[in-house]
Amino acid sequence: MSAEEDFNQVGAELADLGVRVSRMMGNPALKDQAGKVFASLQRDGAMVFRLVRDTPEHTAALQLAGASLFDPSGQGRVVKDWVVVPHSWAEQWTDLAEAALSRPR
């Protein structure tokens, strides 16, 4: 499947939890019931998750090959609570999205 198809599948799997697919800065995004984005699909096919630093999920996500802290500007200013996970790890995306959804904002 394409990255967008995998992203949409994650959204469908979490719909029963009140998650809806939306957009953030032109990219497909997952929002919680309060309308807060907790995951987004990037143009390169990777997905970024708000996992909150120093949590087990954040640490585990960063250990996946190709994963990194999110740098939305591309200028070395990372957002430490957000982790970018490549499409090659799409089978982990639903679990990571559930973890991101469960973290307080």
Side-chain angles (χ1 to χ4, degrees), residues 69-80:
L69 292 174
F70 185 43
D71 180 5
S73 70
Q75 298 182 355
R77 292 184 291 233
V78 296
V79 183
K80 295 179 183 175

Side-chain angles (χ1 to χ4, degrees), residues 11 31 34 37 40-41 45-46 50 53 61 71-73 78-79 98 100 102 104:
K31 292 185 177 182
V37 172
S40 179
L41 183 67
R50 184 183 181 277
R53 73 188 105 174
D71 180 5
S73 70
V78 296
V79 183
E98 286 177 337
S102 72

Side-chain angles (χ1 to χ4, degrees), residues 20-38:
R20 62 186 173 89
V21 174
S22 186
R23 297 196 77 75
M24 177 182 79
M25 295 187 286
N27 293 327
L30 297 178
K31 292 185 177 182
D32 63 17
Q33 290 179 334
K36 304 263 185 184
V37 172
F38 64 90

